[in-house]
Amino acid sequence: MSLAGGGGVMDEVKRFLRHAAPSRYLAASAVALGFDMGSFLMLLALGIAAAPAAALSYALGIGVHWFISSRAVFVAGVAERGPARTRQKALFVASALVGLALTAGIVGLGAALGLDPRLAKIAAVGVSFTATWLLRARIVFAV
């Protein structure tokens, strides 16, 4: 690692953060999932139908995930304030909407098939996690 000019240290920091991103993303996702699942179970207990409950709880998780992702996961890829950051937030929301559609669709289908909505939600988590990770790592926060 070069300590002299040429961005050597910064290049090494960016490289480290890119390699650490999957484990940090998993941790951020776990925290956001805690908010998501907790609110999902609460909404079910309040009598909200499974698919809308899944969509609402997922939306809460989106906010938590942006906060953590932009500050602890994809630090090297966060755009500067201004139009670039606004575009990045829009892409993040778009990636979340892909995850939301997958989540609501899988939970709704599971409920229509008579499956326990909690089991359908667990299946949806895996599919949504994979899809949003790929979108965020390769598009939203691409360095």
Side-chain angles (χ1 to χ4, degrees):
M1 171 167 47
S2 169
L3 294 177
V9 171
M10 286 309 299
D11 289 343
E12 290 298 320
V13 169
K14 287 180 182 180
R15 196 172 3 265
F16 169 77
L17 290 173
R18 274 195 301 268
H19 287 98
S23 60
R24 288 176 186 229
Y25 187 81
L26 182 60
S29 294
V31 172
L33 178 59
F35 278 84
D36 180 355
M37 287 300 288
S39 56
F40 176 67
L41 294 173
M42 181 187 71
L43 292 167
L44 286 178
L46 292 172
I48 306 292
L56 289 170
S57 66
Y58 189 87
L60 291 172
I62 291 169
V64 171
H65 214 302
W66 166 262
F67 184 81
I68 298 169
S69 291
S70 65
R71 286 160 181 77
V73 179
F74 298 107
V75 178
V78 175
E80 295 294 324
R81 295 192 185 280
R85 184 76 168 266
T86 300
R87 179 180 178 279
Q88 190 171 54
K89 286 179 181 179
L91 288 171
F92 188 90
V93 169
S95 71
L97 292 175
V98 169
L100 173 59
L102 289 168
T103 298
I106 291 168
V107 172
L109 178 62
L113 294 173
L115 299 175
D116 183 330
R118 293 167 291 204
L119 295 177
K121 177 73 171 178
I122 290 169
V125 165
V127 173
S128 177
F129 175 87
T130 302
T132 57
W133 161 255
L134 290 171
L135 289 169
R136 291 169 182 168
R138 295 186 179 171
I139 298 170
V140 177
F141 294 104
V143 179

